[in-house]
């Protein structure tokens, strides 16, 4: 089945630690996105990539980093510079030119120990 | 002013009634409008999109767009308990990326 796989489902971060969230898609989509969702809030864009080896900052990129070495994969690293990382992280993908019709992964809940 | 605003609710509707969800946006240049449904602890899924003024119907769902008043709404007819979820309005302002509202939590009471 085609889809987007995020892992892990739950992740805990210690002070000063970098953690990486995985996102893999087999939909053959060109564009991939990372969103953050805080309780009772909408989605805020962290980073997006429209093509391999290229990515752009979203509205809240500080404290995060990404890479896009393969079309299928778009991992997100939450660095120690991100002082308030507790949130639900959603990865999404779309066909080029249909950036509004997003397909989402199941999400990763990140918490701070 | 937020780019996309929704009443966070909760909105409570009896089963079988019409649920009406509203969204306003600030950028007059916005061209594309979307409704995503998100069940608790799950990821959003696209349920409706609308580009032109007027109504667009899909089964029990109707999206309504009024660009002059800068609002978009979602009507759910014959509401079912399975419709209980948070509904996210999303807009593409001008030529930029999708912007989401904070969502409206809808509860359908049996």
């Amino acid at each position: 089945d085609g889809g987007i796989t995020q892992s892990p489902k739950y992740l805990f971060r210690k002070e000063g630690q970098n953690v990486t969230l995985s996102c893999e898609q087999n939909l053959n989509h060109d564009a991939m996105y990372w969103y953050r969702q805080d309780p009772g809030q909408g989605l805020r864009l962290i980073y997006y990539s429209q093509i391999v080896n290229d990515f752009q900052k979203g509205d809240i990129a500080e404290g995060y980093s990404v890479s896009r070495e393969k079309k299928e994969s778009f991992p997100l690293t939450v660095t120690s510079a991100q002082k308030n990382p507790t949130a639900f992280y959603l990865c999404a993908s779309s066909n080029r030119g249909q950036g509004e019709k997003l397909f989402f992964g199941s999400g990763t809940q990140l918490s701070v120990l | 002013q937020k780019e996309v605003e929704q009443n966070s609710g909760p909105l409570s509707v009896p089963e079988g009634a019409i649920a009406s969800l509203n969204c306003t946006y600030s950028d007059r240049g916005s061209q594309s409008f979307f409704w995503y449904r998100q069940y608790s602890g799950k990821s959003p899924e696209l349920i409706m999109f609308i580009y032109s003024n007027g109504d667009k119907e899909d089964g029990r769902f109707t999206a309504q767009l009024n660009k002059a008043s800068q609002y978009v709404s979602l009507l759910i007819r014959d509401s079912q308990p399975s419709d209980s979820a948070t509904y996210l309005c999303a807009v593409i302002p001008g030529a930029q990326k999708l912007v989401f509202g904070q969502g409206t939590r809808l509860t359908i009471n049996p």
Side-chain angles (χ1 to χ4, degrees):
Chain A
D1 287 336
I4 303 176
T5 302
Q6 286 188 243
S7 62
K9 189 172 177 66
Y10 300 98
L11 185 59
F12 297 91
R13 194 191 89 166
K14 295 179 181 178
E15 286 282 339
Q17 187 181 37
N18 293 352
V19 293
T20 297
L21 285 60
S22 170
C23 179
E24 304 275 334
Q25 56 100 358
N26 60 5
L27 299 168
N28 200 33
H29 285 170
D30 290 302
M32 297 187 74
Y33 309 78
W34 275 105
Y35 286 90
R36 169 181 172 141
Q37 187 175 33
D38 293 281
Q41 302 295 314
L43 280 62
R44 292 185 290 168
L45 182 62
I46 305 173
Y47 268 99
Y48 64 98
S49 167
Q50 294 182 307
I51 195 168
V52 174
N53 291 322
D54 187 51
F55 49 82
Q56 309 295 327
K57 292 182 179 180
D59 300 318
I60 54 165
E62 187 174 347
Y64 300 97
S65 66
V66 293
S67 62
R68 186 86 186 276
E69 296 176 2
K70 298 187 298 182
K71 187 175 183 178
E72 303 80 25
S73 178
F74 191 40
L76 173 74
T77 296
V78 184
T79 75
S80 57
Q82 173 47 247
K83 298 307 179 187
N84 185 23
T86 297
F88 188 48
Y89 290 85
L90 287 158
C91 178
S93 70
S94 69
N95 277 323
R96 190 184 295 185
Q98 295 191 341
E100 67 280 5
K101 295 178 183 176
L102 301 175
F103 292 83
F104 285 89
S106 56
T108 294
Q109 176 63 51
L110 175 62
S111 303
V112 176
L113 287 176
Chain B
Q1 182 185 9
K2 291 182 181 178
E3 289 188 87
V4 181
E5 293 210 52
Q6 296 179 253
N7 186 328
S8 60
L11 175 65
S12 232
V13 173
E15 184 176 356
I18 296 176
S20 177
L21 304 158
N22 299 313
C23 171
T24 59
Y25 60 93
S26 59
D27 189 330
R28 282 197 170 275
S30 301
Q31 295 295 321
S32 307
F33 308 86
F34 309 87
W35 285 98
Y36 283 80
R37 178 177 62 199
Q38 186 176 24
Y39 291 113
S40 181
K42 304 296 184 183
S43 57
E45 57 177 325
L46 179 65
I47 55 171
M48 288 289 286
F49 57 92
I50 185 167
Y51 302 140
S52 305
N53 269 333
D55 295 0
K56 179 181 178 183
E57 190 174 315
D58 183 0
R60 294 187 297 111
F61 298 96
T62 299
Q64 299 177 317
L65 175 61
N66 184 322
K67 289 187 178 180
S69 300
Q70 294 176 242
Y71 82 78
V72 57
S73 61
L74 178 70
L75 302 179
I76 307 174
R77 289 183 301 282
D78 189 23
S79 298
Q80 303 296 312
S82 59
D83 295 325
S84 297
T86 295
Y87 289 81
L88 298 163
C89 173
V91 174
I92 296 184
Q96 300 179 35
K97 288 297 172 186
L98 199 62
V99 176
F100 286 85
Q102 74 269 36
T104 298
R105 188 156 55 94
L106 173 66
T107 300
I108 307 300
N109 300 309

